[in-house]
Amino acid sequence: MPEILLSCQDLSKRFGATPLFSGLSFGIVEGDAIGVVGPNGSGKSTLLKLLVGSEEPTSGTLARRARLRVGSVPQDPSFEPGTSVGAAMDAGLAGLGLSPEEIDARRAVALGRAGFTDDDALTETLSGGWTKRLAIARELAREPDLLLLDEPTNHLDVDGILWLEELLRRSPAAFVAVSHDRYFLQAVARRVLELNPAFARGLLDVAGSYSSFLEKKVELLANQESQRASLQNRVRGEIEWLSRKAKARTRKAQARIDEAGRLKDELADLDRRAERATVAIEFAPTERKTKRLLVMRGVAKSFGSRAIVRDLDLVLTPGMRLGLVGANGSGKTTLLRLIGGLETPDAGTIERAANLRVVTVDQHRAALDPTVSLERTLSPHGDAVVVGEQVIHVAGWAKRFLFRGEQLQTPVGRLSGGEQARVAIAQRMLEPADLLMLDEPTNDLDIPTLEVLEESLLEFPGALVLVTHDRYLLDRVSTHVLALDGEGGAIPFADYEQWEATRRASSSRGEGKRSETGSSGRRASAAKRGRLNFHEQREVEQMESRILEAEEHLGRCRCAAEDPAIAANHAALTERHSALAAAGDEVERLYARWAELAAKSRS
């Protein structure tokens, strides 16, 4: 039996008079792979803080196994300015009682797997995605029993997310990941928790994949609605009986009166749980009839010697939804700025329809002033906003985005990330658009809001250009995909699925994956340090291809073990899982040997 790592009983947390959640009871055992979902404001990030011990519950008990080692990666990790990548790793490993050789080995393995090529690079020079990779790699190098991840896919590109998925599948540590990335949850979670007042005790706990969780959730909500309808009929009958004012208050009659009161309380609880407010998102189009909104011909853009795009031809028309994909730093945001007129091309032409109206939702929410109140942010010049031909009071407009009246005077900087994302969308909805450009609009949004956003984008009649790491959103919304390779190339694809299939085929052949992460450079540099003998240097030089082959074999073994056709064949299933374990051991052995050689080269 797996050992219990952590147990929560009747856990509650409130800030002031407002309860965030109450009565949560669940446990975490060895090997658990838990995804946590729930609407914004339900307390997901706070729950992680309680689990790691940085905050205390208002009531209830939280028991941890003795000497439990917990690792934690926040939504937006940061490091001390002036700290190198290697020093950041060493700081994370300090205090574990490791020898210098062991620290060297763990650092080398963790950074190699994460794709870092330069231990001396300063952390402040890293992009958001590479900062997140470093934080995750550092925590895993500590070999925690339980790893807590808050929105781990934020800032990661598609390759980074796939790297993380594989890392979590291979890690022996139990983990809890708060995430709105539905493809990520489907790939890694074997148990899903939803914090939501719609459920009894505010929690739904389902063993299985994310798709299994969705099926169970639909079934549970349908049963609750059926129970509510039945209870409404019973309460209606009891109210009619009570209204007759029976003359004889016998013990039997009094018992029925008490039961009627209990039923009314139960119905009130079900009514409260059935209230599910959703954001109202609808981007306003113009009445433009132009067939071509924007035409690019032979467009080129570079920064220094680095090409962003070369000879790019692109036509945007009403109804076209273009998804931009590529690694972090490949130039997606720069291309958005070219389209929006914020950057000028070095060569080529960009023709825009006359008076083209472009509306942008940027990932940094630059239009939000953190010192300005929510009311003034939503309505800068009065107490009402104009939406189309309709005048709406600012309090009603705020309510559409799930804000309460008492929040109107709150400075925007004090709102949560998800709330700020909703404010940014509310601002942009007031501007009619021919062309809508969204740069990572999903950051901090919960899944219910994402679903509303998807429907709004599907209904928008103008052109749309979308940059997002949310593969589900990209897959569902985009009608065209343009892939940037970071070297000036821009390759069109019919849809996300075609691009993903091409990318996976390229990855399986090893084209560029190791060179992009620089792992070969790292291993070669180890050999050049001159601490290895001739045979060891040859071993390091061959390690790249050996590890790649071992990882490809591991992938094939995993696919074979997960084949549903053998689910009922115990002998075949046992054989394939044994092969999977052996393949995993071989990958670990090769990484450990490489770490040993890297440590020796430094000695």
Side-chain angles (χ1 to χ4, degrees), residues 326-346:
N328 286 341
S330 60
K332 300 186 294 294
T333 299
T334 299
L335 182 53
L336 282 183
R337 291 174 62 82
L338 284 168
I339 293 171
L342 300 177
E343 294 278 356
T344 56
D346 300 332

Side-chain angles (χ1 to χ4, degrees), residues 104 107-108 111 116-120 519-533 537 540-541 594-603:
D104 275 353
R107 183 205 309 119
L111 293 180
F116 286 91
T117 60
D118 184 4
D119 294 9
D120 297 324
S519 53
S520 59
R522 167 178 290 279
R523 291 172 189 135
S525 67
K528 291 176 183 177
R529 290 189 176 104
R531 303 292 185 180
L532 306 177
N533 62 37
Q537 289 180 4
V540 169
E541 291 168 1
W594 167 66
E596 179 185 345
L597 294 172
K600 182 177 179 180
S601 72
R602 295 188 180 94
S603 61

Side-chain angles (χ1 to χ4, degrees), residues 518-572:
S519 53
S520 59
R522 167 178 290 279
R523 291 172 189 135
S525 67
K528 291 176 183 177
R529 290 189 176 104
R531 303 292 185 180
L532 306 177
N533 62 37
F534 173 78
H535 296 292
E536 289 170 334
Q537 289 180 4
R538 288 291 303 276
E539 188 177 359
V540 169
E541 291 168 1
Q542 296 170 1
M543 194 64 75
E544 161 112 29
S545 59
R546 293 179 64 190
I547 289 180
L548 181 59
E549 290 173 3
E551 288 182 334
E552 290 175 349
H553 178 61
L554 176 64
R556 291 191 295 270
C557 288
R558 179 174 290 108
C559 291
E562 294 174 353
D563 185 357
I566 65 161
N569 188 331
H570 180 72

Side-chain angles (χ1 to χ4, degrees), residues 277-308:
T278 57
V279 176
I281 298 176
E282 184 179 359
F283 291 101
T286 65
E287 300 301 320
R288 180 186 292 275
K289 303 300 182 183
T290 310
K291 291 185 178 180
R292 289 191 170 193
L293 301 176
L294 181 142
V295 179
M296 285 185 167
R297 293 189 179 92
V299 168
K301 182 67 178 179
S302 298
F303 291 111
S305 61
R306 179 168 168 264
I308 303 299

